[in-house]
């Protein structure tokens, strides 16, 4: 089965709110260096819930536009989103943060049998089929595409498909929400690659351009695979920083 998602699908409300706030900042309605109004007041002005507003502000914070200052509030420190992103790998939360700082535009959904990617070798699907979700990511506040990605989830999670007709932060978060699961651990494999035709065309680069390939396996606490993803990043836009701390004797 194959499903093509039409272009121009709607964005989640919190992302629309982040764009409205960013526009107000750029136009000086919310001046650089000022502190934004209290959440309860700003949410009322925008006609949204405080939860939606907080999600929008989180996008701006991750993009380097606002900063939360203790006992002061949320301060505006820039008028545009960062054009590059360094993914910190020093804990589960920071690893998952890329999904919040970038948004995925779904291009195609397919149901595939067996082991459709070498990263799934030896991994049994409960249904015998995988839901393959292909798309591209862009940094929040920027239209240029940073990443070509394919996400695989067991077809038993096919109930997430109706939520994939708009931009999404991540597929695993949909699985978590719809099926009541939680990502407990992640395994990564990082390497260099040369862009193939599809990835190169999507990212607007020449075939053979060096890319940064990341494979990730996301597991539930019982060891069940929630998601396997293979991503090819434009290294000019996305980089990875590893941090380790020596344990005490």
């Amino acid at each position: 089965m194959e499903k093509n998602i039409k272009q121009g699908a709607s964005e989640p409300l919190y992302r629309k709110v982040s764009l409205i706030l960013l526009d107000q900042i750029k136009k000086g309605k919310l001046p650089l260096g000022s502190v934004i109004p209290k959440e309860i007041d700003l949410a009322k002005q925008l006609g949204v819930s405080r939860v939606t507003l907080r999600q929008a502000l989180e996008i701006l914070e991750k993009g380097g536009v606002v900063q939360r200052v203790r006992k002061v509030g949320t301060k505006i420190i820039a008028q545009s989103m960062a054009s590059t992103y360094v993914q910190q790998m020093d804990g589960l939360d920071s690893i998952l943060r890329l999904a919040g700082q970038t948004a995925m535009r779904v291009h195609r959904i397919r149901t595939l049998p067996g082991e459709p990617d070498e990263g799934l070798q030896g991994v049994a699907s409960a249904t015998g089929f995988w839901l393959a979700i292909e798309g591209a990511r862009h940094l929040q506040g920027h239209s240029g595409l940073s990443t070509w990605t394919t996400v695989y989830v067991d077809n038993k999670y096919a109930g997430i498909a109706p939520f994939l007709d708009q931009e999404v932060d991540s597929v695993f978060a949909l699985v978590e929400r719809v099926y009541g699961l939680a990502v407990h651990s992640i395994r990564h494999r990082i390497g260099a690659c040369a862009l193939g035709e599809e990835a190169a065309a999507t990212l607007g680069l020449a075939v053979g351009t060096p890319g940064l390939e990341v494979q990730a396996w996301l597991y539930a606490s019982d060891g069940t695979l929630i998601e396997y993803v293979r991503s090819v990043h434009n290294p000019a836009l996305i980089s990875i920083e590893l941090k380790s701390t020596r344990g005490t004797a």
Side-chain angles (χ1 to χ4, degrees):
M1 180 185 76
E2 181 173 322
K3 177 183 178 183
N4 289 305
I5 302 300
K6 61 184 179 182
Q7 299 297 318
S10 60
E11 288 187 307
L13 179 58
Y14 65 87
R15 197 169 295 133
K16 292 178 181 178
V17 172
S18 73
L19 293 175
I20 290 171
L21 291 172
L22 187 60
D23 184 62
Q24 291 182 355
I25 292 169
K26 288 178 178 178
K27 291 179 178 177
K29 294 180 181 179
L30 293 172
L32 189 65
S34 68
V35 176
I36 68 168
K38 292 181 179 179
E39 280 187 4
I40 189 169
D41 297 326
L42 187 54
K44 187 174 181 180
Q45 290 175 25
L46 296 169
V48 298
S49 69
R50 293 178 69 179
V51 172
T52 297
L53 177 60
R54 284 172 189 157
Q55 290 176 307
L57 290 175
E58 186 177 1
I59 288 175
L60 297 183
E61 183 180 19
K62 291 173 180 175
V65 175
V66 302
Q67 181 181 40
R68 299 179 192 273
V69 182
R70 188 180 178 188
K71 295 184 179 180
V72 175
T74 302
K75 187 176 181 180
I76 299 168
I77 60 174
Q79 291 184 310
S80 60
M81 300 282 281
S83 58
T84 60
Y85 183 72
V86 179
Q87 183 174 6
Q88 306 287 335
M89 287 195 172
D90 56 358
L92 188 62
D93 290 338
S94 64
I95 291 172
L96 296 178
R97 194 168 293 147
L98 177 67
Q101 185 53 30
T102 64
M104 180 178 178
R105 300 171 183 168
V106 177
H107 292 178
R108 182 170 61 178
I109 301 173
R110 296 185 289 167
T111 302
L112 303 175
E115 299 175 351
D117 185 282
E118 59 89 13
L120 293 171
Q121 267 190 337
V123 181
S125 163
T127 61
F129 292 87
W130 296 92
L131 195 66
I133 303 152
E134 298 168 279
R137 288 189 168 277
H138 66 93
L139 288 163
Q140 300 284 14
H142 298 275
S143 59
L145 300 176
S146 64
T147 307
W148 171 251
T149 188
T150 304
V151 180
Y152 298 89
V153 297
D154 195 308
N155 200 52
K156 68 181 180 180
Y157 300 133
I160 66 172
F163 300 99
L164 296 170
D165 62 351
Q166 60 181 6
E167 288 194 351
V168 296
D169 289 339
S170 60
V171 173
F172 72 81
L174 291 176
V175 176
E176 287 181 321
R177 189 169 81 237
V178 174
Y179 292 93
L181 300 174
V183 173
H184 178 74
S185 62
I186 302 179
R187 177 167 65 93
H188 280 93
R189 183 180 297 159
I190 304 169
C193 68
L195 298 189
E197 290 185 8
E198 191 166 28
T202 300
L203 300 180
L205 299 171
V207 173
T209 297
L212 178 64
E213 184 176 73
V214 178
Q215 295 168 269
W217 295 259
L218 286 67
Y219 300 96
S221 59
D222 64 357
T224 302
L225 181 68
I226 292 178
E227 171 187 293
Y228 163 68
V229 56
R230 181 188 291 272
S231 296
V232 177
H233 301 298
N234 178 346
L237 300 177
I238 303 288
S239 58
I240 292 173
E241 182 176 294
L242 302 172
K243 180 180 179 181
S244 301
T245 302
R246 184 186 294 275
T248 56

